[in-house]
Amino acid sequence: MSGEIVYKEGLKYPFVILNKLVLPGTDDVNFVLMGPDRKKYLLPELDYILYNLKVGQTITCSIDKINCSGKIFLEPDHPYYKIGERYDFLVLMISEQENFLGSPQKIAWVRDLHGLEWPCPIDHSEGMEPGYSHLACRVDRIRKAELQLSLPALT
């Protein structure tokens, strides 16, 4: 068996940021990353602007997805939030929307440390004062630098 690296979805690998590249015919700036397999990969700069990524830096990326044609989608580790961990977020507002079953679902809109707003499904909003209350949310997933939050299970 050769020493060839076979990436697996969900696993993390180190990537070196080699430079930036604007794709022809677009204004899209991408980081050019080199993986441990010595191949080059593109990462859209705009999605990760708040990560403060720099040329020459080594970053850890999860293999988010490998599609049917073999294209690999990378997700750099967030500089602050970690998947599965719990953080306190400021509650901005409470709304309601239909869940995937068509039932009403209360949503707490919360603010992260970058000032970005994210939805977190909640069971009830009694005692929550938007602008004052904080909500402990678990980071379930980070995809294209977007947080997917839920309430942590009570143990």
Side-chain angles (χ1 to χ4, degrees):
M1 179 165 196
S2 71
E4 185 177 329
I5 292 179
V6 178
Y7 292 121
K8 295 195 180 344
E9 285 184 16
L11 295 183
K12 295 179 180 243
Y13 302 88
F15 288 81
V16 177
I17 302 173
L18 297 178
N19 57 28
K20 290 183 184 183
L21 171 73
V22 177
L23 295 177
T26 72
D27 292 330
D28 301 337
V29 179
N30 288 269
F31 289 108
V32 178
L33 309 181
M34 185 171 57
D37 59 357
R38 311 296 291 165
K39 292 181 182 172
K40 294 178 181 173
Y41 299 87
L42 296 179
L43 185 73
E45 179 186 47
L46 189 59
D47 290 344
Y48 303 98
I49 203 81
L50 296 173
Y51 284 37
N52 293 318
L53 301 177
K54 306 278 184 243
V55 172
Q57 184 180 4
T58 298
I59 59 174
T60 302
C61 295
S62 296
I63 304 300
D64 187 49
K65 181 173 129 181
I66 303 173
N67 72 12
C68 57
S69 63
K71 183 175 179 184
I72 294 173
F73 296 85
L74 303 174
E75 185 63 41
D77 279 355
H78 194 284
Y80 180 75
Y81 297 111
K82 303 293 177 228
I83 293 173
E85 296 293 317
R86 199 174 105 171
Y87 302 89
D88 287 336
F89 294 88
L90 177 66
V91 176
L92 299 175
M93 109 182 156
I94 307 294
S95 68
E96 198 169 278
Q97 67 186 42
E98 277 189 13
N99 65 15
F100 66 96
L101 299 172
S103 303
Q105 171 70 62
K106 285 191 182 290
I107 303 291
W109 286 88
V110 299
R111 180 179 292 146
D112 72 10
L113 63 89
H114 297 296
L116 300 174
E117 299 176 11
W118 307 107
C120 181
I122 57 175
D123 298 324
H124 59 82
S125 59
E126 290 80 32
M128 280 189 210
E129 287 190 55
Y132 297 97
S133 296
H134 285 79
L135 184 64
C137 302
R138 182 180 63 230
V139 176
D140 289 333
R141 185 169 189 185
I142 302 172
R143 187 171 203 187
K144 293 186 178 178
E146 295 182 2
L147 303 181
Q148 293 180 4
L149 305 174
S150 70
L151 292 180
L154 298 174
T155 55

